[in-house]
Amino acid sequence: MFKILLLSLVFVSCGQKIEPTDLAKINGYWEIEKVVFDKGEDKDYKMNESFDYFTIKDKKGIRKKVMPQLNGTFLVNDTFENFTVRFEDEKVYLDYATEYAKWTEELIKISDTELVFKNTEEKEYHYKKAGPINITGDGKETK
């Protein structure tokens, strides 16, 4: 029993330590895969009509919704959310502010292919890196 408890403690304490240099990995297009609710149940997303696009520089960034098109391009509009990155107590937070609201998400994990945020309601949002979709088969390069 003690071994199980000790092993569990090791896994819980081995969360990813996010460094300032890791923030550049956020840049780009991300597709939501699932949401994990505070009671442990998941909601999987099989098909997404929109992706989240992030761009970040010097701990400031924007996040906007974009819609992938079949020819490999994205439809975009002028709506976006500004955020700042805050390092506090060995955790990383994205603080958002719009003209209508302010909120914070904790950055739990970031890699070249995976992104996880947790909001104040303890919901975890799991994303995978996304790119253009091109199913036209015309052999043209997408942007």
Side-chain angles (χ1 to χ4, degrees):
M1 179 68 175
F2 179 72
K3 289 180 183 179
I4 294 173
L5 182 60
L6 184 60
L7 193 58
S8 298
L9 185 59
V10 168
F11 282 120
V12 169
S13 64
C14 288
Q16 179 184 9
K17 178 159 176 41
I18 299 168
E19 301 291 340
T21 55
D22 293 325
L23 296 177
K25 295 176 184 173
I26 295 175
N27 289 325
Y29 299 92
W30 294 89
E31 181 180 6
I32 192 159
E33 285 188 297
K34 69 179 176 178
V35 176
V36 178
F37 295 91
D38 63 342
K39 296 193 180 353
E41 65 272 10
D42 293 358
K43 178 180 179 182
D44 291 326
Y45 290 82
K46 305 292 183 206
M47 179 74 170
N48 295 301
E49 292 182 11
S50 66
F51 294 171
D52 284 16
Y53 173 74
F54 291 86
T55 183
I56 185 169
K57 185 176 180 186
D58 299 327
K59 295 185 182 177
K60 293 185 179 191
I62 64 163
R63 179 182 194 169
K64 69 184 327 180
K65 296 287 186 191
V66 299
M67 293 187 296
Q69 303 300 295
L70 296 178
N71 67 357
T73 62
F74 293 93
L75 282 182
V76 298
N77 60 29
D78 293 333
T79 304
F80 60 90
E81 300 155 348
N82 287 306
F83 66 85
T84 57
V85 179
R86 175 172 45 99
F87 287 82
E88 183 177 295
D89 299 328
E90 297 191 24
K91 294 183 179 183
V92 180
Y93 299 94
L94 272 62
D95 296 318
Y96 292 87
T98 69
E99 132 181 24
Y100 305 105
K102 292 182 179 181
W103 68 98
T104 297
E105 293 179 325
E106 182 182 351
L107 179 59
I108 302 294
K109 185 174 186 177
I110 180 68
S111 73
D112 292 332
T113 59
E114 186 179 10
L115 177 64
V116 181
F117 292 112
K118 182 169 37 171
N119 70 10
T120 55
E121 297 170 346
E122 299 297 313
K123 294 178 187 172
E124 285 187 6
Y125 295 84
H126 293 249
Y127 291 84
K128 65 180 177 181
K129 193 73 163 193
I133 299 171
N134 185 355
I135 60 172
T136 60
D138 61 7
K140 293 183 180 175
E141 188 174 319
T142 59
K143 298 182 186 216

